[in-house]
Amino acid sequence: METAGRAPDVSAESARGVSRGPRLALLGILAICQRAYLTLWRQPVLIVSTMLFPVFYLVVLGNSLNRDLRNVPLAVVDEAGNALAVELRRGVLALETGRALVVAAFPADREEALADLRRGRYRGVWILPHGLSPSGPAPAFIGDNTDRFSYDALETALAEIWREAASPPSARTSESARLEAYPYLDYLTYLGPAVVCLAIFMGSMVAGGLQVIEDRMYGYHEGYLVTPVSTGAIVAGHMLAGSLVASLAGGLVLFVIAFFTPLPMATPEAIGGGLVTVFLTSLAISALWFCLFARARKSSVLRGMFGIINVLVFFPSGALYPVESYPKWLRVVADVNPLTYGMTALRDLLLRGAPVASCYAEWAFLLTFALVCGVLTQVLFRREV
Amino acid sequence: MNPIEAEKLTKRFGDTVADDAVTFAVRPGETYGLLGPNGAGKTTLVRMLTTLLRPTSGVARVAGHDVMKARAKVRASIGTVSQAETTDENLTVRENLSVHGKMYGLWGRGLSEIIERRLEQVGLWDRRDQLTRTLSGGMRRRLEIARGVLHSPHILFLDEPTSGLDPQSRRAVWEMLGDLKARDGSLAIVLTTHAMDEANYLCDRVAIMDSGKILCEDAPEALKRGLSTGERVVLETDRPIEGIDRDSILALGAVNWRTPAPASVEFEAQPGEGIGRLAAQLVEERGYRILHLAISPVTLEDVFFAYTGRALRGEN
């Protein structure tokens, strides 16, 4: 029989896996990526955690946090009963019907109103005292400062009503001119790039960190280690496999955002640049995960570290709040954090309509970061069991 | 050139010596068994030979390549089936081999053809598109073996290839290994096991290991014959064998004489000398009537116990 177990149709050299150098390295990298890609679609839990989780995150966080305040319960106690007080009450009613910032109530008794404030029925009580006049007794605002957002919003809005009503039109200072450089963006859209980055972060953690540790735990890795593929190619393969999965997750989320939320500046060129950014960010973050867990043998290590890394990488990246506002020490973290650069490039491209060329510096950083982590991982990676 | 030559191969983990100056060679086309209790150093030895562990000292050549200096060449020449499951349960049978083949530089149509042939050999071609997690333990092990020989290695290492399998699956794996050997006469197989029947069935030569040392090494039959005792004879007669009759049997070479009942004796003898048969002949000639005669041939297990003792590991 011709099947002498020796694969006669393939030269003995290659059948014995002696083909080495670049071809074997490329095939090794391809094999590791092939496996990562195939397994991704067979593990629904992975798809949920890497792709759907960030989308939920966007929808829930965007809709719960930092929305314009609405329906804040406010009590106005009118003890003055004069014309000025009527004007102030009208101002409050305008606030209720217009911006819907407040739900106003007009209790007669000050003590009752304050008691209700303490019971949490009102977020603020505005007292218009006897003899209310621009020069005499002014209104008093007593706010529930456990809820800082409502407190600040009420105080600002009521102060403005008072200023408008109390000062003669001639005394009003002209406001400085305001011009928004870009079309109106709500916080949900501002969060968009952050959610892409979150998808990258999750995807590369699962495919770049957890997968490598589990391979090692369950013995799959032995199957790689005994092959003639070089250590460098195995490391590169894992990094690319992680970034492939993370890019898929990030790219998908990017498209979801582009379709469902207004990205006024998202031209095809910007989306293309965005996808390159997604890939490079994925590569850098996967390299970071792999480097951190190059020697970990138990997935409990990752579970234990996940919270810390999440706090150190995702939050200080400017995902939720501008980096410029961070204290100095935190800015150092942001400056070496690859996610910061991915986030900046994505915001520039998608929200500001910046030309692709303006992201070259960020791309260069991401690539350098990935290379440094890759080299470090190769040093740390053990070919032995 | 022998596929494997190891000289004074030693591995220490701190103060523990896992393998202590192990010297042995595997001949071309031979199936060589490493037999020993848990912790004897079998798996460590295989890991050193498959480049998964660096020896502390000593030299080993696999397919002519030094395991320390030419690791990539060693890796290209060997196939391994470890105790761990190195196939991904989320891939299909064929995908697993496709991923693995690439790690050996195989690609495209050539790889597809090799996968088909190997899957046919291990009887999994019909299940090629089935997810690996749906395979039974025995099928999974056969897939592991197909993966191990996919790239037609010179030497195949099997670390306890049938542990945890049911008797039918074990038998199927054995037959498959026999079939692989029949197709490729030059393939050398090194397997570790503590299943005596497995070593007896599969191995041309067996090395019995304990505490990191090879205690003896030979063909299973030769090892059995080499024992001074081990063949067990049970003889029940119509009256007790005593006095000069007993001395005559002892003179034939019987040892460990016991009489569990007045008219029943048990003794051991050197295997291969036919002492049990001679003793039976002798008592009949002297007028005894034999009610029951049992001669149990020596097994590899007897050899194993003779060399390693019966104490439980870690308790002696």
Side-chain angles (χ1 to χ4, degrees), chain A residues 3-6 9 15-17 34-35 42 220 227 229 384-385, chain B residues 52 71 75-76 86 88 90 95 102 104 113 117-118 151-152 183-184:
Chain A
T3 51
R6 234 344 117 67
D9 50 338
R16 286 191 189 280
Q34 179 190 4
R35 175 172 165 244
R42 305 232 171 89
Y220 192 92
T227 66
V229 174
E384 278 123 47
V385 289
Chain B
L52 287 172
R71 296 153 81 84
R75 290 178 189 133
T86 59
D88 191 323
N90 290 309
E95 286 165 353
K102 290 189 186 76
Y104 285 93
E113 285 170 4
R117 191 161 42 244
R118 289 306 189 195
H151 55 292
S152 306
R183 285 162 190 268
D184 184 355

PDB file of all heavy atoms in Angstrom, chain A residues 3-6 9 15-17 34-35 42 220 227 229 384-385, chain B residues 52 71 75-76 86 88 90 95 102 104 113 117-118 151-152 183-184:
ATOM      1  N   THR A   3       0.218   4.067   1.208  1.00  0.00           N
ATOM      2  CA  THR A   3       0.165   4.861   2.435  1.00  0.00           C
ATOM      3  C   THR A   3       1.048   4.234   3.499  1.00  0.00           C
ATOM      4  O   THR A   3       0.591   3.549   4.381  1.00  0.00           O
ATOM      5  CB  THR A   3      -1.263   4.952   2.980  1.00  0.00           C
ATOM      6  OG1 THR A   3      -1.769   3.626   3.050  1.00  0.00           O
ATOM      7  CG2 THR A   3      -2.140   5.806   2.128  1.00  0.00           C
ATOM      8  N   ALA A   4       2.306   4.446   3.326  1.00  0.00           N
ATOM      9  CA  ALA A   4       3.239   3.881   4.294  1.00  0.00           C
ATOM     10  C   ALA A   4       3.349   4.787   5.511  1.00  0.00           C
ATOM     11  O   ALA A   4       4.354   4.799   6.199  1.00  0.00           O
ATOM     12  CB  ALA A   4       4.604   3.703   3.646  1.00  0.00           C
ATOM     13  N   GLY A   5       2.293   5.518   5.792  1.00  0.00           N
ATOM     14  CA  GLY A   5       2.322   6.402   6.959  1.00  0.00           C
ATOM     15  C   GLY A   5       3.297   7.534   6.778  1.00  0.00           C
ATOM     16  O   GLY A   5       3.626   8.250   7.692  1.00  0.00           O
ATOM     17  N   ARG A   6       3.777   7.734   5.594  1.00  0.00           N
ATOM     18  CA  ARG A   6       4.873   8.661   5.373  1.00  0.00           C
ATOM     19  C   ARG A   6       4.465   9.771   4.409  1.00  0.00           C
ATOM     20  O   ARG A   6       5.300  10.452   3.874  1.00  0.00           O
ATOM     21  CB  ARG A   6       6.019   7.865   4.746  1.00  0.00           C
ATOM     22  CG  ARG A   6       7.393   7.882   5.365  1.00  0.00           C
ATOM     23  CD  ARG A   6       7.700   8.923   6.351  1.00  0.00           C
ATOM     24  NE  ARG A   6       7.980   8.416   7.647  1.00  0.00           N
ATOM     25  CZ  ARG A   6       9.025   7.681   7.977  1.00  0.00           C
ATOM     26  NH1 ARG A   6       9.928   7.360   7.112  1.00  0.00           N
ATOM     27  NH2 ARG A   6       9.160   7.268   9.192  1.00  0.00           N
ATOM     28  N   ASP A   9       2.880  11.865  -0.966  1.00  0.00           N
ATOM     29  CA  ASP A   9       2.614  12.959  -1.895  1.00  0.00           C
ATOM     30  C   ASP A   9       3.224  14.274  -1.424  1.00  0.00           C
ATOM     31  O   ASP A   9       3.243  15.257  -2.124  1.00  0.00           O
ATOM     32  CB  ASP A   9       1.117  13.133  -2.104  1.00  0.00           C
ATOM     33  CG  ASP A   9       0.384  13.198  -0.798  1.00  0.00           C
ATOM     34  OD1 ASP A   9       0.944  12.708   0.210  1.00  0.00           O
ATOM     35  OD2 ASP A   9      -0.701  13.742  -0.743  1.00  0.00           O
ATOM     36  N   ALA A  15       6.879  16.887   5.161  1.00  0.00           N
ATOM     37  CA  ALA A  15       5.990  16.024   5.932  1.00  0.00           C
ATOM     38  C   ALA A  15       6.535  15.822   7.328  1.00  0.00           C
ATOM     39  O   ALA A  15       5.797  15.657   8.280  1.00  0.00           O
ATOM     40  CB  ALA A  15       5.841  14.684   5.237  1.00  0.00           C
ATOM     41  N   ARG A  16       7.827  15.854   7.451  1.00  0.00           N
ATOM     42  CA  ARG A  16       8.407  15.710   8.786  1.00  0.00           C
ATOM     43  C   ARG A  16       8.534  17.060   9.475  1.00  0.00           C
ATOM     44  O   ARG A  16       9.174  17.182  10.495  1.00  0.00           O
ATOM     45  CB  ARG A  16       9.773  15.035   8.691  1.00  0.00           C
ATOM     46  CG  ARG A  16       9.658  13.556   8.387  1.00  0.00           C
ATOM     47  CD  ARG A  16      10.987  12.876   8.566  1.00  0.00           C
ATOM     48  NE  ARG A  16      10.961  11.500   8.071  1.00  0.00           N
ATOM     49  CZ  ARG A  16      10.456  10.493   8.746  1.00  0.00           C
ATOM     50  NH1 ARG A  16       9.910  10.690   9.917  1.00  0.00           N
ATOM     51  NH2 ARG A  16      10.475   9.272   8.241  1.00  0.00           N
ATOM     52  N   GLY A  17       7.964  18.052   8.858  1.00  0.00           N
ATOM     53  CA  GLY A  17       7.930  19.356   9.512  1.00  0.00           C
ATOM     54  C   GLY A  17       9.290  20.009   9.587  1.00  0.00           C
ATOM     55  O   GLY A  17       9.551  20.815  10.454  1.00  0.00           O
ATOM     56  N   GLN A  34      -6.099  30.893  13.376  1.00  0.00           N
ATOM     57  CA  GLN A  34      -7.214  30.075  12.869  1.00  0.00           C
ATOM     58  C   GLN A  34      -7.996  29.488  14.040  1.00  0.00           C
ATOM     59  O   GLN A  34      -9.221  29.547  14.094  1.00  0.00           O
ATOM     60  CB  GLN A  34      -6.659  28.943  11.995  1.00  0.00           C
ATOM     61  CG  GLN A  34      -7.721  28.014  11.421  1.00  0.00           C
ATOM     62  CD  GLN A  34      -7.098  26.769  10.777  1.00  0.00           C
ATOM     63  OE1 GLN A  34      -5.890  26.559  10.818  1.00  0.00           O
ATOM     64  NE2 GLN A  34      -7.942  25.941  10.167  1.00  0.00           N
ATOM     65  N   ARG A  35      -7.263  28.973  15.005  1.00  0.00           N
ATOM     66  CA  ARG A  35      -7.931  28.355  16.145  1.00  0.00           C
ATOM     67  C   ARG A  35      -8.724  29.395  16.943  1.00  0.00           C
ATOM     68  O   ARG A  35      -9.866  29.164  17.322  1.00  0.00           O
ATOM     69  CB  ARG A  35      -6.888  27.683  17.037  1.00  0.00           C
ATOM     70  CG  ARG A  35      -7.480  27.133  18.284  1.00  0.00           C
ATOM     71  CD  ARG A  35      -6.502  26.312  19.069  1.00  0.00           C
ATOM     72  NE  ARG A  35      -7.054  26.123  20.392  1.00  0.00           N
ATOM     73  CZ  ARG A  35      -6.500  26.592  21.493  1.00  0.00           C
ATOM     74  NH1 ARG A  35      -5.358  27.243  21.433  1.00  0.00           N
ATOM     75  NH2 ARG A  35      -7.071  26.381  22.652  1.00  0.00           N
ATOM     76  N   ARG A  42     -17.787  29.489  18.452  1.00  0.00           N
ATOM     77  CA  ARG A  42     -18.417  28.318  19.066  1.00  0.00           C
ATOM     78  C   ARG A  42     -18.616  28.531  20.549  1.00  0.00           C
ATOM     79  O   ARG A  42     -19.041  27.633  21.254  1.00  0.00           O
ATOM     80  CB  ARG A  42     -17.522  27.094  18.840  1.00  0.00           C
ATOM     81  CG  ARG A  42     -17.237  26.897  17.365  1.00  0.00           C
ATOM     82  CD  ARG A  42     -17.554  25.499  16.911  1.00  0.00           C
ATOM     83  NE  ARG A  42     -17.474  25.409  15.462  1.00  0.00           N
ATOM     84  CZ  ARG A  42     -16.351  25.122  14.806  1.00  0.00           C
ATOM     85  NH1 ARG A  42     -15.251  24.862  15.473  1.00  0.00           N
ATOM     86  NH2 ARG A  42     -16.357  25.064  13.498  1.00  0.00           N
ATOM     87  N   TYR A 220      -3.309  22.238  26.382  1.00  0.00           N
ATOM     88  CA  TYR A 220      -3.288  22.442  24.935  1.00  0.00           C
ATOM     89  C   TYR A 220      -1.943  23.002  24.492  1.00  0.00           C
ATOM     90  O   TYR A 220      -1.445  22.681  23.412  1.00  0.00           O
ATOM     91  CB  TYR A 220      -4.419  23.395  24.512  1.00  0.00           C
ATOM     92  CG  TYR A 220      -4.621  23.405  23.028  1.00  0.00           C
ATOM     93  CD1 TYR A 220      -5.536  22.552  22.424  1.00  0.00           C
ATOM     94  CD2 TYR A 220      -3.862  24.235  22.200  1.00  0.00           C
ATOM     95  CE1 TYR A 220      -5.688  22.524  21.057  1.00  0.00           C
ATOM     96  CE2 TYR A 220      -4.010  24.214  20.833  1.00  0.00           C
ATOM     97  CZ  TYR A 220      -4.924  23.365  20.263  1.00  0.00           C
ATOM     98  OH  TYR A 220      -5.059  23.336  18.906  1.00  0.00           O
ATOM     99  N   THR A 227       6.145  21.499  18.906  1.00  0.00           N
ATOM    100  CA  THR A 227       6.281  21.642  17.458  1.00  0.00           C
ATOM    101  C   THR A 227       7.530  22.457  17.128  1.00  0.00           C
ATOM    102  O   THR A 227       8.044  23.179  17.988  1.00  0.00           O
ATOM    103  CB  THR A 227       5.062  22.365  16.852  1.00  0.00           C
ATOM    104  OG1 THR A 227       5.045  23.701  17.330  1.00  0.00           O
ATOM    105  CG2 THR A 227       3.766  21.662  17.219  1.00  0.00           C
ATOM    106  N   VAL A 229       7.805  25.093  15.504  1.00  0.00           N
ATOM    107  CA  VAL A 229       7.565  26.537  15.356  1.00  0.00           C
ATOM    108  C   VAL A 229       8.340  27.290  16.439  1.00  0.00           C
ATOM    109  O   VAL A 229       8.351  26.883  17.599  1.00  0.00           O
ATOM    110  CB  VAL A 229       6.057  26.846  15.467  1.00  0.00           C
ATOM    111  CG1 VAL A 229       5.801  28.340  15.461  1.00  0.00           C
ATOM    112  CG2 VAL A 229       5.301  26.186  14.321  1.00  0.00           C
ATOM    113  N   GLU A 384       9.171  25.550  28.219  1.00  0.00           N
ATOM    114  CA  GLU A 384       9.057  24.304  28.965  1.00  0.00           C
ATOM    115  C   GLU A 384       7.758  24.256  29.756  1.00  0.00           C
ATOM    116  O   GLU A 384       7.120  25.283  29.951  1.00  0.00           O
ATOM    117  CB  GLU A 384      10.249  24.163  29.916  1.00  0.00           C
ATOM    118  CG  GLU A 384      11.471  23.624  29.218  1.00  0.00           C
ATOM    119  CD  GLU A 384      12.669  24.554  29.347  1.00  0.00           C
ATOM    120  OE1 GLU A 384      12.930  25.013  30.458  1.00  0.00           O
ATOM    121  OE2 GLU A 384      13.326  24.821  28.339  1.00  0.00           O
ATOM    122  N   VAL A 385       7.411  23.065  30.200  1.00  0.00           N
ATOM    123  CA  VAL A 385       6.171  22.938  30.976  1.00  0.00           C
ATOM    124  C   VAL A 385       6.484  22.972  32.469  1.00  0.00           C
ATOM    125  O   VAL A 385       7.605  22.774  32.869  1.00  0.00           O
ATOM    126  CB  VAL A 385       5.415  21.626  30.649  1.00  0.00           C
ATOM    127  CG1 VAL A 385       4.839  21.730  29.265  1.00  0.00           C
ATOM    128  CG2 VAL A 385       6.298  20.429  30.801  1.00  0.00           C
TER     129      VAL A 385
ATOM    130  N   LEU B  52      10.455  19.436  26.458  1.00  0.00           N
ATOM    131  CA  LEU B  52       9.567  20.198  27.339  1.00  0.00           C
ATOM    132  C   LEU B  52      10.217  20.487  28.690  1.00  0.00           C
ATOM    133  O   LEU B  52       9.694  21.273  29.475  1.00  0.00           O
ATOM    134  CB  LEU B  52       8.247  19.459  27.544  1.00  0.00           C
ATOM    135  CG  LEU B  52       7.305  19.472  26.335  1.00  0.00           C
ATOM    136  CD1 LEU B  52       6.115  18.564  26.573  1.00  0.00           C
ATOM    137  CD2 LEU B  52       6.832  20.879  26.011  1.00  0.00           C
ATOM    138  N   ARG B  71      17.120  21.795  19.513  1.00  0.00           N
ATOM    139  CA  ARG B  71      15.744  21.539  19.953  1.00  0.00           C
ATOM    140  C   ARG B  71      14.742  21.583  18.802  1.00  0.00           C
ATOM    141  O   ARG B  71      13.821  20.770  18.748  1.00  0.00           O
ATOM    142  CB  ARG B  71      15.358  22.545  21.043  1.00  0.00           C
ATOM    143  CG  ARG B  71      16.220  22.366  22.287  1.00  0.00           C
ATOM    144  CD  ARG B  71      16.346  23.650  23.076  1.00  0.00           C
ATOM    145  NE  ARG B  71      15.188  23.873  23.927  1.00  0.00           N
ATOM    146  CZ  ARG B  71      15.038  23.336  25.134  1.00  0.00           C
ATOM    147  NH1 ARG B  71      15.967  22.547  25.607  1.00  0.00           N
ATOM    148  NH2 ARG B  71      13.988  23.598  25.844  1.00  0.00           N
ATOM    149  N   ARG B  75      12.252  18.627  17.752  1.00  0.00           N
ATOM    150  CA  ARG B  75      10.795  18.816  17.701  1.00  0.00           C
ATOM    151  C   ARG B  75      10.223  18.431  16.349  1.00  0.00           C
ATOM    152  O   ARG B  75       9.106  17.921  16.254  1.00  0.00           O
ATOM    153  CB  ARG B  75      10.448  20.279  17.997  1.00  0.00           C
ATOM    154  CG  ARG B  75      10.692  20.659  19.444  1.00  0.00           C
ATOM    155  CD  ARG B  75      10.379  22.122  19.679  1.00  0.00           C
ATOM    156  NE  ARG B  75      10.814  22.513  21.020  1.00  0.00           N
ATOM    157  CZ  ARG B  75      11.515  23.600  21.288  1.00  0.00           C
ATOM    158  NH1 ARG B  75      11.861  24.431  20.315  1.00  0.00           N
ATOM    159  NH2 ARG B  75      11.878  23.876  22.519  1.00  0.00           N
ATOM    160  N   ALA B  76      10.993  18.682  15.294  1.00  0.00           N
ATOM    161  CA  ALA B  76      10.494  18.349  13.960  1.00  0.00           C
ATOM    162  C   ALA B  76      10.479  16.842  13.726  1.00  0.00           C
ATOM    163  O   ALA B  76       9.767  16.364  12.847  1.00  0.00           O
ATOM    164  CB  ALA B  76      11.356  19.037  12.906  1.00  0.00           C
ATOM    165  N   THR B  86      -4.526  17.747  24.172  1.00  0.00           N
ATOM    166  CA  THR B  86      -3.979  18.857  23.392  1.00  0.00           C
ATOM    167  C   THR B  86      -4.816  19.131  22.148  1.00  0.00           C
ATOM    168  O   THR B  86      -4.364  19.802  21.242  1.00  0.00           O
ATOM    169  CB  THR B  86      -2.527  18.563  22.988  1.00  0.00           C
ATOM    170  OG1 THR B  86      -2.529  17.368  22.226  1.00  0.00           O
ATOM    171  CG2 THR B  86      -1.642  18.404  24.187  1.00  0.00           C
ATOM    172  N   ASP B  88      -8.431  20.843  20.833  1.00  0.00           N
ATOM    173  CA  ASP B  88      -9.373  21.849  21.332  1.00  0.00           C
ATOM    174  C   ASP B  88     -10.789  21.327  21.187  1.00  0.00           C
ATOM    175  O   ASP B  88     -11.222  20.981  20.094  1.00  0.00           O
ATOM    176  CB  ASP B  88      -9.190  23.141  20.535  1.00  0.00           C
ATOM    177  CG  ASP B  88      -9.948  24.303  21.163  1.00  0.00           C
ATOM    178  OD1 ASP B  88     -11.063  24.074  21.683  1.00  0.00           O
ATOM    179  OD2 ASP B  88      -9.425  25.426  21.135  1.00  0.00           O
ATOM    180  N   ASN B  90     -13.488  22.798  21.214  1.00  0.00           N
ATOM    181  CA  ASN B  90     -14.397  23.647  20.443  1.00  0.00           C
ATOM    182  C   ASN B  90     -14.131  23.602  18.938  1.00  0.00           C
ATOM    183  O   ASN B  90     -14.787  24.301  18.178  1.00  0.00           O
ATOM    184  CB  ASN B  90     -14.298  25.092  20.922  1.00  0.00           C
ATOM    185  CG  ASN B  90     -14.890  25.245  22.303  1.00  0.00           C
ATOM    186  OD1 ASN B  90     -16.007  24.814  22.548  1.00  0.00           O
ATOM    187  ND2 ASN B  90     -14.131  25.819  23.217  1.00  0.00           N
ATOM    188  N   GLU B  95     -10.645  20.254  11.986  1.00  0.00           N
ATOM    189  CA  GLU B  95     -10.034  21.559  12.277  1.00  0.00           C
ATOM    190  C   GLU B  95      -8.848  21.420  13.235  1.00  0.00           C
ATOM    191  O   GLU B  95      -7.831  22.089  13.079  1.00  0.00           O
ATOM    192  CB  GLU B  95     -11.077  22.510  12.882  1.00  0.00           C
ATOM    193  CG  GLU B  95     -12.065  23.038  11.868  1.00  0.00           C
ATOM    194  CD  GLU B  95     -13.297  23.677  12.509  1.00  0.00           C
ATOM    195  OE1 GLU B  95     -13.456  23.601  13.749  1.00  0.00           O
ATOM    196  OE2 GLU B  95     -14.108  24.232  11.768  1.00  0.00           O
ATOM    197  N   LYS B 102      -0.366  22.762  10.456  1.00  0.00           N
ATOM    198  CA  LYS B 102       0.340  23.995  10.077  1.00  0.00           C
ATOM    199  C   LYS B 102       1.542  24.235  10.982  1.00  0.00           C
ATOM    200  O   LYS B 102       2.548  24.797  10.561  1.00  0.00           O
ATOM    201  CB  LYS B 102      -0.604  25.193  10.150  1.00  0.00           C
ATOM    202  CG  LYS B 102      -1.657  25.166   9.057  1.00  0.00           C
ATOM    203  CD  LYS B 102      -2.441  26.457   9.011  1.00  0.00           C
ATOM    204  CE  LYS B 102      -3.574  26.368   8.015  1.00  0.00           C
ATOM    205  NZ  LYS B 102      -4.720  25.584   8.486  1.00  0.00           N
ATOM    206  N   TYR B 104       3.527  22.228  11.811  1.00  0.00           N
ATOM    207  CA  TYR B 104       4.647  21.441  11.290  1.00  0.00           C
ATOM    208  C   TYR B 104       4.955  21.824   9.851  1.00  0.00           C
ATOM    209  O   TYR B 104       5.618  21.086   9.127  1.00  0.00           O
ATOM    210  CB  TYR B 104       4.326  19.950  11.390  1.00  0.00           C
ATOM    211  CG  TYR B 104       4.435  19.455  12.807  1.00  0.00           C
ATOM    212  CD1 TYR B 104       3.328  19.429  13.635  1.00  0.00           C
ATOM    213  CD2 TYR B 104       5.657  19.044  13.331  1.00  0.00           C
ATOM    214  CE1 TYR B 104       3.422  18.996  14.950  1.00  0.00           C
ATOM    215  CE2 TYR B 104       5.770  18.611  14.633  1.00  0.00           C
ATOM    216  CZ  TYR B 104       4.651  18.588  15.442  1.00  0.00           C
ATOM    217  OH  TYR B 104       4.754  18.174  16.733  1.00  0.00           O
ATOM    218  N   GLU B 113      -4.946  16.039   2.449  1.00  0.00           N
ATOM    219  CA  GLU B 113      -4.831  14.615   2.131  1.00  0.00           C
ATOM    220  C   GLU B 113      -4.267  13.825   3.304  1.00  0.00           C
ATOM    221  O   GLU B 113      -4.723  12.719   3.605  1.00  0.00           O
ATOM    222  CB  GLU B 113      -3.959  14.435   0.884  1.00  0.00           C
ATOM    223  CG  GLU B 113      -4.723  14.822  -0.384  1.00  0.00           C
ATOM    224  CD  GLU B 113      -3.827  14.901  -1.608  1.00  0.00           C
ATOM    225  OE1 GLU B 113      -2.625  14.573  -1.494  1.00  0.00           O
ATOM    226  OE2 GLU B 113      -4.341  15.298  -2.668  1.00  0.00           O
ATOM    227  N   ARG B 117      -6.069  10.770   5.414  1.00  0.00           N
ATOM    228  CA  ARG B 117      -5.451   9.452   5.595  1.00  0.00           C
ATOM    229  C   ARG B 117      -5.330   9.103   7.084  1.00  0.00           C
ATOM    230  O   ARG B 117      -5.648   7.998   7.506  1.00  0.00           O
ATOM    231  CB  ARG B 117      -4.081   9.442   4.923  1.00  0.00           C
ATOM    232  CG  ARG B 117      -3.490   8.067   4.834  1.00  0.00           C
ATOM    233  CD  ARG B 117      -2.396   7.948   3.796  1.00  0.00           C
ATOM    234  NE  ARG B 117      -1.491   9.066   3.781  1.00  0.00           N
ATOM    235  CZ  ARG B 117      -1.349   9.898   2.752  1.00  0.00           C
ATOM    236  NH1 ARG B 117      -2.058   9.733   1.670  1.00  0.00           N
ATOM    237  NH2 ARG B 117      -0.485  10.896   2.814  1.00  0.00           N
ATOM    238  N   ARG B 118      -4.877  10.064   7.858  1.00  0.00           N
ATOM    239  CA  ARG B 118      -4.711   9.789   9.285  1.00  0.00           C
ATOM    240  C   ARG B 118      -6.053   9.524   9.958  1.00  0.00           C
ATOM    241  O   ARG B 118      -6.164   8.642  10.808  1.00  0.00           O
ATOM    242  CB  ARG B 118      -4.010  10.958   9.982  1.00  0.00           C
ATOM    243  CG  ARG B 118      -2.542  11.117   9.637  1.00  0.00           C
ATOM    244  CD  ARG B 118      -1.771   9.855   9.881  1.00  0.00           C
ATOM    245  NE  ARG B 118      -0.328  10.052   9.749  1.00  0.00           N
ATOM    246  CZ  ARG B 118       0.544   9.069   9.634  1.00  0.00           C
ATOM    247  NH1 ARG B 118       0.135   7.809   9.625  1.00  0.00           N
ATOM    248  NH2 ARG B 118       1.831   9.329   9.541  1.00  0.00           N
ATOM    249  N   HIS B 151       2.341  14.424  11.117  1.00  0.00           N
ATOM    250  CA  HIS B 151       3.454  14.871  10.288  1.00  0.00           C
ATOM    251  C   HIS B 151       4.477  13.761  10.070  1.00  0.00           C
ATOM    252  O   HIS B 151       5.619  14.036   9.712  1.00  0.00           O
ATOM    253  CB  HIS B 151       4.115  16.071  10.960  1.00  0.00           C
ATOM    254  CG  HIS B 151       4.536  15.800  12.371  1.00  0.00           C
ATOM    255  ND1 HIS B 151       3.639  15.584  13.390  1.00  0.00           N
ATOM    256  CD2 HIS B 151       5.751  15.670  12.932  1.00  0.00           C
ATOM    257  CE1 HIS B 151       4.298  15.348  14.514  1.00  0.00           C
ATOM    258  NE2 HIS B 151       5.573  15.390  14.248  1.00  0.00           N
ATOM    259  N   SER B 152       4.065  12.519  10.252  1.00  0.00           N
ATOM    260  CA  SER B 152       4.931  11.355  10.038  1.00  0.00           C
ATOM    261  C   SER B 152       6.262  11.476  10.772  1.00  0.00           C
ATOM    262  O   SER B 152       7.326  11.559  10.164  1.00  0.00           O
ATOM    263  CB  SER B 152       5.212  11.163   8.544  1.00  0.00           C
ATOM    264  OG  SER B 152       4.017  11.107   7.838  1.00  0.00           O
ATOM    265  N   ARG B 183       2.365  -0.082   9.163  1.00  0.00           N
ATOM    266  CA  ARG B 183       2.466   0.773   7.981  1.00  0.00           C
ATOM    267  C   ARG B 183       3.829   1.447   7.875  1.00  0.00           C
ATOM    268  O   ARG B 183       4.252   1.834   6.807  1.00  0.00           O
ATOM    269  CB  ARG B 183       1.404   1.869   8.045  1.00  0.00           C
ATOM    270  CG  ARG B 183       0.025   1.387   7.731  1.00  0.00           C
ATOM    271  CD  ARG B 183      -0.973   2.411   8.239  1.00  0.00           C
ATOM    272  NE  ARG B 183      -2.321   1.887   8.180  1.00  0.00           N
ATOM    273  CZ  ARG B 183      -3.126   2.054   7.127  1.00  0.00           C
ATOM    274  NH1 ARG B 183      -2.713   2.700   6.084  1.00  0.00           N
ATOM    275  NH2 ARG B 183      -4.340   1.556   7.133  1.00  0.00           N
ATOM    276  N   ASP B 184       4.442   1.687   9.004  1.00  0.00           N
ATOM    277  CA  ASP B 184       5.705   2.407   8.990  1.00  0.00           C
ATOM    278  C   ASP B 184       6.681   1.675   9.900  1.00  0.00           C
ATOM    279  O   ASP B 184       6.751   1.917  11.093  1.00  0.00           O
ATOM    280  CB  ASP B 184       5.485   3.847   9.482  1.00  0.00           C
ATOM    281  CG  ASP B 184       6.760   4.664   9.384  1.00  0.00           C
ATOM    282  OD1 ASP B 184       7.802   4.090   9.034  1.00  0.00           O
ATOM    283  OD2 ASP B 184       6.708   5.870   9.653  1.00  0.00           O
TER     284      ASP B 184
END
